[in-house]
Structure formats: structure tokens, C-alpha cells
Amino acid sequence: MRTVEGVVCRIFRILFPALVVALLPVAARADALERPTSAPLGGARQAEGVPGALSGAEAFVSLVLDGELADVASGVDLSAAELANTLLTDASVFVTANDTDGSADEAPGPGELTTAAAPPTHTDASSIFTLHSRPDMTLTILLDFDGHVTSNTQWNDHGVDIVSAPFDRDGNPGSLSPAEIAEIEAVWRIVAEDFAPFGVDVTTQDPGTEALRYAGGGDAEYGTRVVISPTDDWFGHGYGGVAYIKSFKSNSTPAFVFSNNLGTFKSVGDASSHESGHTLGLLHDGAPQKTYYSGHGVWGPIMGASYPRPLAQWSSGEYAGATNGQDDLAVVAKFLGYRTDDHGDTSSTATLLAGSGETSGFVGADDAVDVFAVDVSAGVIDVQLTPSSVVSSNLFASITIRDSNGTVIAAHTPDYVTSKSEPSTRPIDWVAHASSVVPDGRYTVEVRPAGLGTPSTGFSTYGSHGSYRLTVVAGAGYPPLSPRLPGQVRLTPIQPVRLADTRSGQGGSGRVAADGVLRVQVAGTVGIPGDVTAAALNVTAVGPDTGGFLTVYPCAETPPTTSTVNFAPGRDIANSTIATLAIDGYVCVYSSVATNVIVDLTAWFSPDAAAGMSATAARRVGDTRSGLGGSGRLAAGGVLTVATGDAGASAVALNVTAVGADEAGFLTVYPCGTVPPVASTVNFAAGEARPNNTIVAAAPDGLVCVFSSAAVDVIVDVTAAFSASGTLEYLPAAPQRLVDTRATGVVSAGGTIAFGVPSPGATAGAVSVNVTATGHDTDGFSTAFGCATQVPDASTLNQRLGEADANGAIVPTGVTSTGCVFTSSATNLIVDLNGWWVPAG
């Protein structure tokens, strides 16, 4: 087929494309004019990877001259006109000598990749090649990471086997590092989420070639292999992936994803779904002058170039300027079928809930609504809807509550999708919440796919499919589910007490898995009153598998886009925070990676507590390096006694720093005159400077003591005092991000940033914040302070090269509602709000 002889034919090949282009619709014609029309795709590289393949106008002319345009088009479910338009407008599509179509997809450029943090660590390395999304399905998409030899397929027309090396990032292809194992799981999660609406198992477990081969007739067990490998020299460098179009049933012909040309697990995952889509008959989602549309806002199409977007969905070409109107869902469903509906669609077929509690579901591609019924005694019905996965979710959804007559009594469609960037790997975040006070009766709750904005500014309901969690609180005496901002509260300091330690199972939980959550009861346990609404906690990550972060938040909320503790692999790192509790008295700790977690309590906040706060500029009261406070370097097992200067205070807020320890160890801060508790305040490595803030009860004369397990210098700064005469009370908040300079640029060495504080309805005298430094070019320190004052002779955190460092602080804000952070070394600064300190009401 691929030969055209004679002068006439050569002239025809030159002139005929121009004639066709002239007859094409204007939108297609504009794109065609920008495309090369004579050279095979990729030149010699393409010829090496796919012998005899042609692309663009040359492929089109050759098909026309041989009278095969219609036959080849029907093989990929296109009309002759549609295939002609595709070849003349999409330079990535090629046609081989045996009349099959494929796509050679360009690797993304440097500006087209996301800046993603390390993915969550896989909890069991031995099971990384046994992952299944839906093991009960007989159709399979195999993500093949462990190397493959491709023989006797359409790729082997040149008669040579293709030997693909195992997935590798560190130059050691013979073994997988923890980071590589984590990336494999993250890629699998992305592809599994993209194909969750269909009847297919996305797996990393190779069932063998024969199990993937389609034998024809009634064969119901087959699939496609996606080889994910750095090996691309057989095809030609510069491609992200290649696949034959509509090859899902074609004799186990694999698709390929070239991982070394893709920067992150997000890109590898998106490319794997993209190439899998080609094997099922999908073509590119483009835009005028663009083969691949990269999307807009947080959204991008899977069959475009969704690499820079946190939310990738299937598309039907609804956005402005779309060049492909394929119904992605319908095309894929021809091969895979749709997922079976898991909940009823009407009030008569609704899934009956047993009252208050949590259930799960899935909104599928042909599943317009899930309906639940709940019987409510006179009182409240309160419903909260969130996506199940905080790693990869394509779902965006709304909730509607109706009474027995079908009347809507409450509804909510979220009006935001928050992009998740470093240090989080979660792609999107949203929550739908609706509640109402109701009489006795049966009520229905509807979960529906939702869109955001218009298809050209956001996205429609078309691709919003995925699993969700539905939490219902119903009946007399139940408060609303979602935590409301509690009223102002005061402080009660205590001897530090341990609430949870996953190493021993204290608190009822073992080691927290990657993307896992630890629930910790605070109010109503170990002598703590039931009306406590916030708590001063010291939270420690112990022995994490890889670098990551912990986020402390009220359990009824979706984990927010904030971090509390940032840590490097294997490091024991602590940070203190004032945590807002959920209405049931619990606090949750989300972990991005597998780690043990310790939670210690040093004070609680409640309406009837005695102590208010007096804010002050940070001041240094102890430094063993200079003898400030009357003591030299602490020996292992030694105790430093510090006079805080607040003799009438029942508690003080301190920033305590360990400097230059001989070996790894910990500091414990406690009121002098008592026995050191089983709790730690600062965990440090040998030689480093490691701070942590704490609120600790003070002895009657204002003395606090610091115990050290290793020889170390200690610095103590006072940031606030608490007493019955304190004029500021605490107003808890759900954590929220105030500033993140990664979006605006690195803060230069010696620079200062200001952060505005949202109003709680009163002028806040101070705020409790968490400050993070990341991406610094050298060691240094940062200090949070009130902008109206000079930078104090104290530090909030010490940044260490190669680590993201965080610490809490109480920052006076005054009438301007503004705080400042100074940094001694160039770094990015992040400030998260935990709550306000407001005048006593």
C-alpha cells in the first residue's frame, strides 16, 4: 500500500492535500495549514519504531490512492471524513503498512508538568505488583512496571523483539527503592480512578500474555498491557507514550509509556490513562493550533495534555475551541461496559440507612444519582459529602435532602475545587454540606455529579465520577455534623499527658498508613472535660518511610490544604499546635506517608477555664551557649531550669530549640517541681538546630524545666503568658492557609513577608499559626513577629537544607490584623492559621 510511483502520482501527492484542505471546515482547515504534510512523523526515529508508517497528509493521500481510507476508518470507528480530518490535523497519528492506526504522543515540555511532592509511600513493598482496582472483573488494564519483552506484535514488523527495562528512577534497574515503589502505587491509583466508571480491573499483577489475549467469539477474559519503562530508543526519544488505536482486542499488542520522558508520577499516571484510552479507540482532545489541549484552571482532559492540571477527566469536547467531539465515556464503554450501579436512583429504590453514620458509594458514568433514605426523629438532619480518595479523585458532586413529599429542604453544590500542591499530593479538595431542623419522618439524600463554572472556565458534570463518603447525623439531640466555630475559650494547663502512640497501639491504632488518618479522642478522656473545644497538642512523626507531612484537623472536616508537621525520611520530628476539635471531641491526624504518630496533650481550652492570654513580643530567657539563664550546655540526662519572668502565670508559651546535640535525642519541657512526664517536646538529630513551640504549665514562681536525653545546648524563648488576668481568649478555627510564597516567588535572604489575617468578627490581638520554610538554598532561621515591632532576638524555626521545616507560633497582630515573618536565608514561606486570640467577651 505504501508506494506511489510516477510523476503524475508525485504531483498528485503534492496538490491533493491542498484541495482537501480547501474543502475542510474552517476550524479544521486552520489547524491543517499549520501541520507538516510530507514527512513521516518523527522522521527516521518514527520509521525505526514503526517501519513504513506514514502520518499527516502523506498517510491520507496514500490511503486515498489505494482506496483504503474508508476501510481503515471503519477499523477505528470513524467515518472516512473523520479519519481524513484526523490525519490532516493531528500530526501524532500514524498509519502503518498493514493499515492500522496509532498515536505517537509527544512528551510534555518543562512548563507542562506539575510540581508534585513525593507520592505517599506504599505500606507493603512486597505487594506492589499485586494491586487490583476491581479484581472481580475479567477485563484488564495491566500497568507493567517490571520489564517486558514484546514479540510477534504490530510493533515487531521489523522482526526484532523489543526489550523494555523495568521502571527505574535512580539508575539501579535491578531493584526498586521505596520512592520508586511509592511512585508505582501512585500511578496505579491515578489510572484506577480514571477507569473506575467502567467494568475493568486496573492492576499491576501480570496475568500472563494468554490471559490478556482476545481469542475471539465468547472470550470474556482479555485486556491490554501498558509497558511503563525508561526504554524508548527502539522508537525514538522525545515521546511520552505510543499506542495503536483501538488495539484493546488486538492480539496483546501493548501500549508504551516512556517514564524517563515524564517528570513525575502524576505525568506517568496521566500518560498511562491517555495511552490506554487510545487502545480503546479514543483520539486527541485538541484546540485550534494545538494537537493536545492542556486544559484550564484545575481541569484538563485525559486525552489532551492534562499533566499540569490537578484534575483530569474524560471529555466530550465541551470546552471552547474543542477539535474532537468524541464521547469518551461512550467509546470506552463499548469495550469495557459501565460499572454496575451500587445504590438506587429513586426514593422507592433508595438505600435505607440505619440512622446516623457513614456510608460510601460511587457515582458512575451512567449513574445520574444515588439516593439514600433515613428515618429521622424530630431534630436535625445533617449530611456531609466528600470524595473517598484524597490521593486521586475525578469526582465533584452535590447533595440534596428531600422530605417524604419530595420537597427540597436543603441542598448544596460546592463552589470551589482547591488545587493540592506541595507538600500535599492530593489533587483536589471539596466538601458538600447540607442540614436542616426537621420533624419526624423519612427523608432522602441525593448524591449527583456536579460541575464547576462553565466547560470553558471549569468543567461540566460529564467527567465527574468517582467514589465518595457520605456522613449523616440525624435525630433529636444531635448537633450539626460539621464543626461550627466554637465560642471564645480560655486555657487550662496540665502536666503533659500522652493520648496516642501508634508504636504501642495506645489510642487504639497502629502505624498510620500512607494517606491514612489517626482519630484521637481528646474531650471526655483521661480526666479532660467533655466541653473542651480545642487542645494544645504536641504531635510527633516517628520513623516515616519517606519524607512527608502530618495535618491535624477537626475529624468531621475534609483534611485541609495545610500541614502541621513536615519531616524527612526516617526522622522523628515534632511540632506543637492548638488543634480545633470536632463536635464529638476528637481530633484527626492525616499522614501523607506511612509513619508512627505520637500525640501529647499539654493544655486544653474550654468556656469555663480560668486562664486568658497576655501576648508579648518574643523574648529570650535561656541560652546555654552563652550562659543566659545561668546554665551551660546540658549533659545527657540533665535538666535546665528556666525563669520565664512571668511569676503570676499558670502557663507560658515557649519556643524551645535544641542545638548541636552529640547524638539523636529529645527534650521534655514540664513545670519544675514535678516528675518529668512520659512525653517529648523536641526530637532532634545529632548536630542539628531543631525548635518546637509548646504551651506548658509553669511552677508557681514561673519556673519551667527542660530535660534532655542527650548532651545538647538549649535555647528558650517566651512568646506569651497565661493567667487569670489575661485579657485575650482563644477562638478556634478549622486550619486554613494564609500565604504560600511558592505561588509568588522565593523570599530573599534577609527578607520579610507580611500575612493578612481574616477577621473572626472582632479585632484579634494575636493569632496562632504554623509557619513552614521549604526550598531554601542554605541553612538559616525564620522569625514570626508582629509587623509593628522590630524583629525580635528569637527564632520561630530553623531551616535545614534539603528539608521542609515547620513550627507553630503565637503572633501579635494588633489593629492592622497583619503578621510578619523574617527569614535569614532565601526560602519559600507558608503560613497556616489555627485560630485567633480576641478580647475577652
Side-chain angles (χ1 to χ4, degrees):
M1 162 191 152
R2 298 285 81 89
T3 60
V4 181
E5 300 296 337
V7 174
V8 173
C9 288
R10 286 196 296 271
I11 294 174
F12 186 78
R13 291 182 68 169
I14 295 171
L15 296 180
F16 189 67
L19 174 62
V20 174
V21 168
L23 297 176
L24 285 173
V26 172
R29 187 188 315 156
D31 198 28
L33 291 172
E34 296 296 319
R35 299 293 178 194
T37 58
S38 59
L41 179 63
R45 296 177 301 167
Q46 173 64 25
E48 179 185 354
V50 187
L54 300 177
S55 65
E58 188 165 24
F60 167 70
V61 170
S62 186
L63 289 173
V64 170
L65 293 179
D66 288 346
E68 296 173 343
L69 182 65
D71 289 342
V72 174
S74 65
V76 289
D77 285 340
L78 297 176
S79 67
E82 287 172 330
L83 179 57
N85 187 58
T86 297
L87 291 173
L88 291 168
T89 60
D90 188 343
S92 69
V93 175
F94 60 84
V95 181
T96 67
N98 59 2
D99 295 338
T100 53
D101 292 2
S103 179
D105 294 308
E106 300 172 2
E112 298 174 312
L113 294 172
T114 53
T115 303
T121 299
H122 184 66
T123 55
D124 181 7
S126 65
S127 68
I128 193 63
F129 292 127
T130 62
L131 301 175
H132 290 266
S133 65
R134 302 190 66 197
D136 55 323
M137 295 290 102
T138 59
L139 301 182
T140 299
I141 295 175
L142 168 64
L143 304 180
D144 190 348
F145 288 91
D146 60 355
H148 183 66
V149 178
T150 304
S151 304
N152 302 316
T153 73
Q154 296 174 85
W155 298 116
N156 304 105
D157 282 352
H158 48 6
V160 178
D161 289 349
I162 299 169
V163 181
S164 298
F167 174 77
D168 177 51
R169 289 294 197 193
D170 61 5
N172 184 14
S175 65
L176 289 172
S177 68
E180 290 168 334
I181 292 170
E183 184 168 352
I184 289 172
E185 183 188 12
V187 170
W188 169 76
R189 286 185 180 275
I190 290 171
V191 182
E193 174 70 10
D194 290 341
F195 284 92
F198 307 105
V200 67
D201 179 29
V202 178
T203 181
T204 59
Q205 186 169 22
D206 192 341
T209 299
E210 290 306 313
L212 296 175
R213 190 188 307 277
Y214 178 63
D219 187 5
E221 183 180 347
Y222 56 92
T224 194
R225 181 189 303 267
V226 181
V227 179
I228 301 172
S229 167
T231 304
D232 65 350
D233 53 349
W234 65 273
F235 191 84
H237 304 298
Y239 295 99
V242 294
Y244 279 101
I245 297 169
K246 204 179 176 185
S247 61
F248 196 80
K249 287 185 177 180
S250 69
N251 198 29
S252 298
T253 297
F256 293 85
V257 169
F258 304 124
S259 53
N260 274 16
N261 300 330
L262 300 162
T264 66
F265 72 89
K266 167 70 164 57
S267 302
V268 175
D270 285 357
S272 299
S273 290
H274 182 109
E275 301 306 332
S276 299
H278 280 317
T279 71
L280 295 160
L282 295 181
L283 301 177
H284 288 140
D285 290 322
Q289 316 304 326
K290 294 180 181 179
T291 298
Y292 309 93
Y293 182 56
S294 63
H296 47 259
V298 299
W299 181 90
I302 293 170
M303 296 310 297
S306 55
Y307 307 111
R309 310 296 173 182
L311 176 60
Q313 293 180 337
W314 302 111
S315 172
S316 61
E318 298 172 298
Y319 56 87
T323 57
N324 178 13
Q326 262 188 321
D327 184 338
D328 286 358
L329 297 173
V331 171
V332 174
K334 285 183 180 180
F335 284 87
L336 306 179
Y338 286 121
R339 185 186 187 117
T340 302
D341 194 359
D342 56 350
H343 295 292
D345 297 343
T346 65
S347 58
S348 60
T349 61
T351 299
L352 181 62
L353 303 177
S356 298
E358 182 176 294
T359 190
S360 61
F362 187 91
V363 176
D366 64 343
D367 179 13
V369 61
D370 282 352
V371 183
F372 301 85
V374 59
D375 293 322
V376 182
S377 300
V380 68
I381 179 170
D382 191 278
V383 183
Q384 186 166 277
L385 176 73
T386 58
S388 291
S389 174
V390 292
V391 172
S392 178
S393 178
N394 293 357
L395 178 66
F396 192 60
S398 66
I399 50 176
T400 302
I401 306 174
R402 298 180 186 269
D403 63 17
S404 57
N405 297 317
T407 302
V408 175
I409 61 171
H412 183 221
T413 299
D415 57 4
Y416 68 94
V417 173
T418 301
S419 171
K420 297 287 191 176
S421 57
E422 287 186 23
S424 173
T425 60
R426 293 166 284 173
I428 63 168
D429 184 31
W430 56 267
V431 59
H433 173 251
S435 64
S436 181
V437 177
V438 296
D440 291 350
R442 173 165 290 187
Y443 295 83
T444 56
V445 178
E446 300 170 355
V447 178
R448 299 177 184 273
L452 182 68
T454 69
S456 292
T457 60
F459 50 89
S460 74
T461 62
Y462 178 85
S464 290
H465 311 295
S467 58
Y468 58 82
R469 293 193 307 266
L470 187 74
T471 308
V472 177
V473 168
Y478 283 101
L481 171 75
S482 200
R484 308 302 185 199
L485 268 182
Q488 297 172 208
V489 286
R490 295 169 75 85
L491 177 137
T492 298
I494 63 169
Q495 177 82 343
V497 61
R498 184 146 291 174
L499 299 180
D501 186 342
T502 62
R503 299 172 300 179
S504 63
Q506 180 182 355
S509 179
R511 184 176 177 88
V512 181
D515 205 35
V517 174
L518 171 67
R519 281 175 51 89
V520 180
Q521 184 179 358
V522 180
T525 187
V526 294
I528 303 169
D531 63 349
V532 169
T533 59
L537 303 176
N538 195 65
V539 183
T540 308
V542 180
D545 289 348
T546 187
F549 65 94
L550 303 178
T551 297
V552 180
Y553 65 100
C555 288
E557 293 278 356
T558 300
T561 315
T562 60
S563 61
T564 307
V565 184
N566 297 75
F567 46 81
R571 293 294 313 277
D572 298 347
I573 299 296
N575 194 13
S576 292
T577 185
I578 301 178
T580 301
L581 308 184
I583 57 171
D584 59 2
Y586 278 77
V587 69
C588 278
V589 183
Y590 165 86
S591 181
S592 67
V593 304
T595 186
N596 280 306
V597 176
I598 300 172
V599 180
D600 297 326
L601 175 74
T602 64
W604 70 68
F605 295 82
S606 63
D608 297 327
M613 189 187 80
S614 300
T616 180
R619 67 181 189 277
R620 183 148 294 173
V621 293
D623 188 340
T624 62
R625 299 171 303 177
S626 63
L628 176 63
S631 178
R633 183 178 176 86
L634 279 184
V639 175
L640 171 67
T641 300
V642 180
T644 65
D646 295 286
S650 59
V652 286
L654 304 175
N655 197 62
V656 182
T657 306
V659 182
D662 290 349
E663 59 184 335
F666 64 90
L667 302 179
T668 299
V669 184
Y670 61 101
C672 293
T674 64
V675 176
V678 182
S680 61
T681 307
V682 184
N683 296 75
F684 50 81
E688 74 171 342
R690 175 65 60 180
N692 194 16
N693 73 106
T694 185
I695 295 175
V696 62
D701 51 4
L703 298 179
V704 296
C705 284
V706 183
F707 166 85
S708 180
S709 67
V712 68
D713 279 304
V714 177
I715 303 169
V716 181
D717 299 324
V718 176
T719 59
F722 300 87
S723 66
S725 60
T727 59
L728 296 177
E729 298 178 338
Y730 190 61
L731 185 60
Q736 58 184 289
R737 182 143 292 173
L738 300 180
V739 67
D740 185 344
T741 66
R742 292 173 300 180
T744 57
V746 171
V747 183
S748 60
T752 298
I753 63 163
F755 59 90
V757 179
S759 172
T763 299
V767 289
S768 285
V769 296
N770 198 67
V771 182
T772 302
T774 184
H776 22 275
D777 56 6
T778 186
D779 292 351
F781 68 90
S782 294
T783 301
F785 63 101
C787 295
T789 64
Q790 296 292 321
V791 180
D793 181 20
S795 60
T796 300
L797 59 88
N798 295 76
Q799 47 251 37
R800 185 179 176 91
L801 183 63
E803 296 184 6
D805 302 288
N807 200 10
I810 296 174
V811 182
T813 53
V815 295
T816 62
S817 297
T818 305
C820 283
V821 183
F822 164 86
T823 180
S824 70
S825 63
T827 188
N828 279 305
L829 292 171
I830 303 166
V831 181
D832 298 327
L833 174 70
N834 292 321
W836 301 270
W837 295 94
V838 297

